[in-house]
Amino acid sequence: MHHLIIGAGPAGVRAAETLRKLDPQSRVTLIDGEGEAPYSRMAIPYYLEGKIDEQGTWLHRPLDWYGEQGIELIRGRVKSVDAAAKSVTLENGTTLPYDRLLLATGARAVNPPVEGLSGARVRHCWTLDDARAIETFAQKGSDVVLMGAGFIGSIILEALVRRGVNLTVVEIEDRMVPRMLDETAGNMLKAWCENHGVRVLTSTRIERVGETDKGLEVFTSNGETLHADLLVVAAGVTPNIECMDGTGIEKRTGVIVNARMETSLPDVWAAGDCAEGCDFSTGDLNTLAIQPVAVEQAVIAAKNMAGIPAEYHCALPMNVLDTMGLITTSFGRHDGLEIGERAVLHDPDHWRYIRLEFHEDRIIGAQTAGHVNMVGVLRGLIQGRMALGPWKERLLKTPHRVAEAYVDLARGLS
Ligand SMILES: Cc1cc2nc3c(=O)[nH]c(=O)nc-3n(C[C@H](O)[C@H](O)[C@H](O)COP(=O)(O)OP(=O)(O)OC[C@H]3O[C@@H](n4cnc5c(N)ncnc54)[C@H](O)[C@@H]3O)c2cc1C
């Protein structure tokens, strides 16, 4: 049995390890399309802050680990898949046969349609190679513009601040992390960043970027021209699924998978940022694009590839950000339902915010700022679909009591 895995990010590597354990007689091949030692993107901010070196981002050290485990690591990018012939072809023309295929190709950062987003001083912050370029241009005292204050942009923001740059963030929406936080929490985060010396322009678009011998000129919709030694573009990602073109695989934004992480093609599975699986909060398909989900999906895919039936229960959308000490979180239907109810507690003097979203007698979503100890509790209440009973009325009036509610409900008390 030959298990072939396209993509050597966290999903691909975890699938390879799992297959090696569960199917020791099989051949396991991992195709690395980046020409790097397999690494975790999550570690990039720590690398930029100087807390770890490049090897600290690697998923396994030393690189010989893969060979020692009997995992064949091949360098190259898959150009196409022939699902009928059960083979893949690399960009260098090599063709590799498979019995079972896992698509673990992740996603890549994309550019919005803005003139001038090219050249050495314009980078995403998605790959280790991007991180090396950022390291070169984001020196202490340099002017850096960050396009986009979404989840990834806000993670990079702190690393840039720690490098001592003069940072301006330009966000097209009216607040930071608009897909995670509402206006109150997103603007609380904005004020927090401004208090920490970051300039944050919301409701502002970068319209054009020009290059001079002194660096970049970034033209914004509020009429300003910002000087930049570096422009970091964090304005969205798209799944890497082009190698499946022509196979007839079912896809929307990503490749569609069922609970066993099977795609619509026989003997082809998908996991991680390239896959669209079930979203716990809506029951619909979604790409959640966070590492824990990628890795859990990879384990489920690998089990099924090894002939051990396993199912992935829908993933709860959940984001936790630590921005220079302010923890912001969002869970499930954080924006609520029209037919639901809401409890809000806003304490701007202490940088605290809680918003709970209810449907019937359950919490279906939440967002918080400044509360460090609510992550596990909110996850438990929402994912456990815990019926609140009398606690619902109490939480509507005093939402900060969620931990107390959780403990009572877990003990069968109310
Ligand atoms: C700066 C940064 C910080 C992050 N921080 C967090 C965090 O704090 N928490 C969190 O949960 N998530 C975080 N993420 C997101 C997280 O990194 C991703 O969810 C995770 O990497 C997904 O893993 P994956 O294996 O599905 O995809 P990837 O890590 O993208 O790996 C896929 C691999 O497949 C390769 N590939 C693609 N196409 C081909 C092809 N045709 N042939 C061969 N190889 C191919 C890619 O080049 C890549 O190496 C962060 C991401 C970034 C960029």
Side-chain angles (χ1 to χ4, degrees):
M1 177 71 69
H2 183 200
H3 298 290
L4 185 62
I5 301 166
I6 313 178
V13 169
R14 180 57 65 85
E17 288 168 42
T18 309
L19 282 163
R20 184 70 298 147
K21 276 191 202 126
L22 299 178
D23 198 356
Q25 306 307 322
S26 65
R27 180 176 163 206
V28 178
T29 306
L30 184 59
I31 304 178
D32 157 45
E34 272 188 58
E36 304 275 2
Y39 69 95
S40 167
R41 305 192 191 291
M42 259 180 80
I44 288 176
Y46 304 104
Y47 168 76
L48 285 175
E49 287 172 23
K51 287 185 178 156
I52 55 172
D53 60 11
E54 276 199 20
Q55 292 202 5
T57 69
W58 293 6
L59 289 158
H60 286 291
R61 280 188 284 176
L63 199 48
D64 299 349
W65 183 89
Y66 296 89
E68 283 162 11
Q69 300 297 312
I71 296 169
E72 199 181 343
L73 186 60
I74 292 183
R75 295 279 156 91
R77 224 157 163 92
V78 173
K79 197 170 139 211
S80 61
V81 173
D82 185 337
K86 294 181 96 169
S87 67
V88 307
T89 302
L90 305 188
E91 278 174 355
N92 67 9
T94 309
T95 295
L96 299 164
Y98 66 81
D99 295 304
R100 292 185 174 167
L101 179 70
L102 176 67
L103 194 66
T105 48
R108 64 176 180 280
V110 290
N111 281 344
V114 170
E115 193 188 320
L117 293 185
S118 59
R121 291 176 185 270
V122 179
R123 294 299 296 218
H124 296 126
C125 184
W126 192 254
T127 63
L128 204 44
D129 197 46
D130 291 331
R132 293 183 195 114
I134 291 172
E135 222 186 352
T136 306
F137 292 110
Q139 298 289 340
K140 196 171 171 49
S142 26
D143 294 328
V144 176
V145 175
L146 173 62
M147 178 196 254
F151 181 64
I152 298 294
S154 298
I155 290 175
I156 302 159
L157 182 154
E158 175 156 359
L160 291 170
V161 169
R162 287 189 190 276
R163 291 186 67 78
V165 306
N166 301 317
L167 182 62
T168 305
V169 182
V170 184
E171 166 58 50
I172 198 165
E173 299 286 340
D174 62 356
R175 59 190 185 273
M176 289 184 68
V177 253
R179 276 190 286 279
M180 172 177 157
L181 299 176
D182 65 11
E183 215 181 317
T184 309
N187 282 313
M188 182 186 276
L189 180 58
K190 173 181 169 178
W192 178 268
C193 290
E194 288 170 336
N195 277 5
H196 285 77
V198 180
R199 189 163 180 236
V200 185
L201 306 175
T202 48
S203 304
T204 307
R205 234 180 20 253
I206 291 180
E207 297 195 317
R208 187 165 61 84
V209 179
E211 193 159 7
T212 68
D213 51 358
K214 294 197 182 80
L216 301 173
E217 284 182 322
V218 179
F219 299 92
T220 66
S221 57
N222 64 2
E224 273 192 72
T225 304
L226 306 167
H227 169 263
D229 298 297
L230 172 72
L231 170 65
V232 180
V233 180
V237 299
T238 190
N240 292 315
I241 55 175
E242 292 74 13
C243 64
M244 299 309 287
D245 285 354
T247 60
I249 200 164
E250 209 183 330
K251 59 184 179 183
R252 290 197 324 184
T253 311
V255 163
I256 293 174
V257 289
N258 63 19
R260 293 181 295 280
M261 306 313 293
E262 292 165 332
T263 69
S264 59
L265 297 177
D267 295 321
V268 181
W269 283 258
D273 285 7
C274 66
E276 266 193 78
C278 168
D279 177 332
F280 174 91
S281 58
T282 58
D284 286 342
L285 294 168
N286 197 0
T287 36
L288 294 182
I290 51 172
Q291 184 163 318
V293 171
V295 167
E296 285 168 34
Q297 289 181 341
V299 171
I300 299 298
K303 284 185 174 169
N304 286 297
M305 290 168 79
I308 300 166
E311 293 202 344
Y312 184 71
H313 297 291
C314 299
L316 174 70
M318 176 176 151
N319 289 115
V320 180
L321 267 179
D322 177 352
T323 313
M324 296 171 284
L326 183 68
I327 309 286
T328 48
T329 67
S330 82
F331 304 82
R333 296 298 302 250
H334 64 278
D335 49 352
L337 294 175
E338 256 178 42
I339 51 166
E341 288 163 275
R342 176 175 305 161
V344 175
L345 194 63
H346 183 201
D347 179 2
D349 293 343
H350 298 96
W351 301 94
R352 287 185 164 209
Y353 183 68
I354 308 174
R355 172 171 157 182
L356 302 181
E357 293 291 341
F358 301 83
H359 182 229
E360 295 169 348
D361 79 336
R362 288 173 167 78
I363 299 178
I364 54 163
Q367 47 189 300
T368 70
H371 292 274
V372 281
N373 54 358
M374 282 186 185
V375 175
V377 159
L378 284 170
R379 186 180 184 172
L381 285 166
I382 298 168
Q383 210 162 20
R385 297 189 203 276
M386 289 171 90
L388 298 171
W391 264 108
K392 179 174 171 189
E393 284 310 312
R394 289 176 210 146
L395 288 177
L396 277 167
K397 291 191 194 100
T398 51
H400 62 285
R401 293 178 69 193
V402 279
E404 230 181 297
Y406 178 82
V407 171
D408 263 9
L409 294 167
R411 290 164 67 206
L413 304 171
S414 58

